[in-house]
Structure formats: C-alpha cells, structure tokens
C-alpha cells in the first residue's frame, strides 16, 4: 500500500484563465510531477500561472497504457503527482481513466480537484433540459456505430451531450435527426472564451448549420419533443432513467409529469411504484 502518495486529478480552464481555482493552482505548484496530455500546452498554462521548474511527463490516449508502470514507479518512491488534460476535467473523454484505476488498485490515494467541465458548462448555458443527461464523449467515426449509439441512448429520453469536430458537425446532426427524430439542439462553441456562442435550433434544420464554425464544440441534444400523450413505454423508459438519481418516487413522478403530456404526477407515481416492485 502507498497511501502516503497522492494522484491529484486537476481540472484546468477551458479557455478563460480566470476559471482556475485556488486549490488547483496550489496543487500544480506543489506536485512533485505533472502528467499532462500535452506538455507544451500545460507548460503555457503553468507559465501563465507563474509556476516554474515543474517536471512533466506526457500522458495521452496513445501512450496511457504504456505509462502505467512509470506512473506507479513514481508513487512507489512516496511522491505525489498531478494529472491534467489539455483543458477541463481529466477523464471526461480525455486520457486518465486507466491510470486512475491502476493507482487505486495499487493503493495510491486519488483526489479529484474539481473545476471547469465542458459538458456541465454547455448544459448550464444552452437552455435545454439539464437532467437526466447522458455524456457520450467523442462519437465513434463509423456511421453505423454512431447510429447505434444514438438509438441506444435516445430511447432513454435523456438529454444527450457529446463533443464533435467542426468538420463532422453537419454530418453528425443529420445522422442524429435520422436516428432520434426532430429534437432541439444547441451547438456550444468556444466555451468561456471571448467568442463563446450558443447556436440553438431543431435537428430537422441540420442543413442550415454553418460549415464555417470554428473552435472547440460541445453539442447538446434535448429530450424527445412531446407530440401528444406519452405512451406507457415512454413513461417506463423515463422512470428507468430517473431512478438512477436515487430520488424518492414522488419526486421522480412529479419531474416526469412536468415533461410529458397526458399524465398526472399521481398516475406516473403509480407506474414508479409498479416498476420498483417488479425490479
């Protein structure tokens, strides 16, 4: 066991340096080593924070598995380290999951230092229902895999959040329309930066999205648009998704009833209790 060693999982600014927390700044300044997705980019961040002389080791999606032995060897010496991605919260579609898992299995203390997160930032500003939501990270490149992913998560009735490259944005929105039907969406780009922008619309109008958009893009697709009374199957799907919250049945029932047509909170509550008995 190596509980005297700590891996700090540090969230860093998406673009606005003012979003760095005092705790994150202190951890980065005091850590014996920093594992960084891109050492050059992290080097610029440290320079902006007036932190110098830090040792860094690259840790990205292509070398994470190979780095694990080196990571654990560092902690075996009783030293601490910080893990950062290029921007935002590590592991949120960025490298780090395998290292965090290996550290916990090795007895290294893992401590998250929360802060900026693109999915949460997008949800807080786009105006679409924020919960329940499903975060898909970067979508697979193959159309068939992407379609299966949309169909699997679209049936839950939750808001869907994912990252997308600007070169594939229109193609992806088109596929989302074919897979999910017409739903509201928001293209959230350049979050926290000077040119931050939220572009809201409906999936049926995917062709109207500009191909000239620049910057980092987070996409939010809202839940199904209510078209008449919800079916019993729809209600059960929403119940299954909501029950993961751990809230009381009456709270879940009231929340679902606010989202659908043709169902009172009392009627939904009966379905919630029925589901709990059968599960």
């Amino acid at each position: 066991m190596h509980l005297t060693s700590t891996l700090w999982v540090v969230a860093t600014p998406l673009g606005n340096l003012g979003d760095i927390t005092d705790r994150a700044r202190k951890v980065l300044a005091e850590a014996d080593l920093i594992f960084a997705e891109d050492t050059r980019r992290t080097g610029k961040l440290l320079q902006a924070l007036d932190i110098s002389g830090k040792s860094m080791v690259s840790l990205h999606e292509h070398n994470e598995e190979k780095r694990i032995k080196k990571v654990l060897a560092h902690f075996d010496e009783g030293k601490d380290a910080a893990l950062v991605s290029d921007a935002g919260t590590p592991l949120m579609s960025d490298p780090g999951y395998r290292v965090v898992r290996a550290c916990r299995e090795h007895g290294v203390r893992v401590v998250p230092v929360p802060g900026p997160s693109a999915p949460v930032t997008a949800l807080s500003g786009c105006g679409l229902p924020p919960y329940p939501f499903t975060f898909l990270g970067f979508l697979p490149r193959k159309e068939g895999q992407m379609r299966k992913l949309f169909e699997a998560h679209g049936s839950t009735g939750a808001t869907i959040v994912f990252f997308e490259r600007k070169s594939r944005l229109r193609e992806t929105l088109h596929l989302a329309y074919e897979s999910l039907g017409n739903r509201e969406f928001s293209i959230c780009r350049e979050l926290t930066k000077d040119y931050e922008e939220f572009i809201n619309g409906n999936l049926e109008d995917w062709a109207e999205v500009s191909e000239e958009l620049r910057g980092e893009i987070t996409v939010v697709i809202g839940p199904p648009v209510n078209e008449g009374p919800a079916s019993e199957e729809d209600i059960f799907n929403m119940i299954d998704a909501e029950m993961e919250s751990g809230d009381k049945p009456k709270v879940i029932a009231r929340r679902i009833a606010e989202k659908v047509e043709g169902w009172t909170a009392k009627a939904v509550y009966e379905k919630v209790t029925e589901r709990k008995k059968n599960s």
Side-chain angles (χ1 to χ4, degrees):
M1 298 292 284
H2 304 275
L3 292 178
T4 56
S5 299
T6 301
L7 173 66
W8 304 91
V9 184
V10 184
T12 55
L14 300 175
N16 190 320
L17 188 62
D19 292 334
I20 190 77
T21 66
D22 288 339
R23 184 184 179 202
R25 187 194 300 265
K26 184 174 186 293
V27 167
L28 292 176
E30 296 180 355
D32 297 311
L33 181 67
I34 297 176
F35 293 105
E37 183 177 7
D38 185 330
T39 55
R40 290 172 299 180
R41 186 162 181 172
T42 299
K44 292 180 180 178
L45 172 65
L46 296 178
Q47 185 177 13
L49 296 175
D50 199 25
I51 298 174
S52 60
K54 304 304 299 183
S55 296
M56 289 189 286
V57 172
S58 67
L59 193 150
H60 48 73
E61 60 178 327
H62 301 297
N63 73 357
E64 182 177 359
E65 194 70 43
K66 296 179 181 179
R67 282 280 192 253
I68 289 178
K69 287 185 178 180
K70 186 171 185 176
V71 170
L72 297 182
H74 172 79
F75 291 119
D76 284 342
E77 296 177 3
K79 297 179 180 179
D80 293 342
L83 170 68
V84 298
S85 58
D86 284 351
T89 300
L91 281 70
M92 295 295 98
S93 198
D94 288 330
Y97 158 71
R98 294 176 181 84
V99 163
V100 168
R101 185 180 181 90
C103 284
R104 286 200 172 278
E105 292 175 348
H106 198 63
V108 177
R109 189 169 67 124
V110 178
V111 179
V113 182
S117 170
V120 174
T121 302
L123 284 168
S124 68
C126 71
L128 298 181
Y131 59 85
F133 78 88
T134 298
F135 176 56
L136 303 181
F138 278 104
L139 301 179
R141 296 189 177 186
K142 294 184 178 180
E143 180 178 316
Q145 293 176 346
M146 194 188 306
R147 190 183 298 275
K148 287 182 180 180
L149 194 63
F150 278 140
E151 291 174 351
H153 292 284
S155 64
T156 67
T159 292
I160 296 173
V161 185
F162 57 89
F163 298 147
E164 189 51 286
R165 298 169 178 82
K166 56 186 178 182
S167 60
R168 299 200 311 163
L169 182 59
R170 291 216 315 176
E171 174 187 346
T172 298
L173 292 177
H174 184 198
L175 190 61
Y177 175 55
E178 292 181 342
S179 304
L180 304 173
N182 189 32
R183 301 189 185 188
E184 292 182 286
F185 72 81
S186 182
I187 299 169
C188 315
R189 70 178 198 91
E190 294 291 81
L191 292 172
T192 77
K193 301 177 184 178
D194 290 341
Y195 296 102
E196 178 181 83
E197 184 178 21
F198 294 85
I199 304 172
N200 288 26
N202 295 296
L203 286 178
E204 65 180 357
D205 301 320
W206 63 269
E208 297 179 9
V209 174
S210 172
E211 295 181 325
E212 304 300 322
L213 295 179
R214 297 182 178 181
E216 302 293 329
I217 293 174
T218 303
V219 179
V220 180
I221 297 178
V225 178
N226 292 331
E227 297 179 352
S231 67
E232 185 178 70
E233 181 181 0
D234 292 333
I235 295 299
F236 278 130
N237 285 335
M238 295 179 74
I239 290 172
D240 290 342
E242 288 279 0
M243 284 177 67
E244 295 182 4
S245 69
D247 290 335
K248 294 181 179 179
K250 287 186 177 181
V251 175
I252 292 174
R254 184 173 63 251
R255 197 152 60 216
I256 292 175
E258 292 174 351
K259 298 178 182 178
V260 301
E261 295 181 15
W263 289 79
T264 63
K266 181 179 179 181
V268 176
Y269 176 76
E270 292 175 355
K271 296 300 178 184
V272 174
T273 54
E274 178 182 337
R275 196 58 147 186
K276 289 179 71 69
K277 288 180 181 178
N278 295 332
S279 61

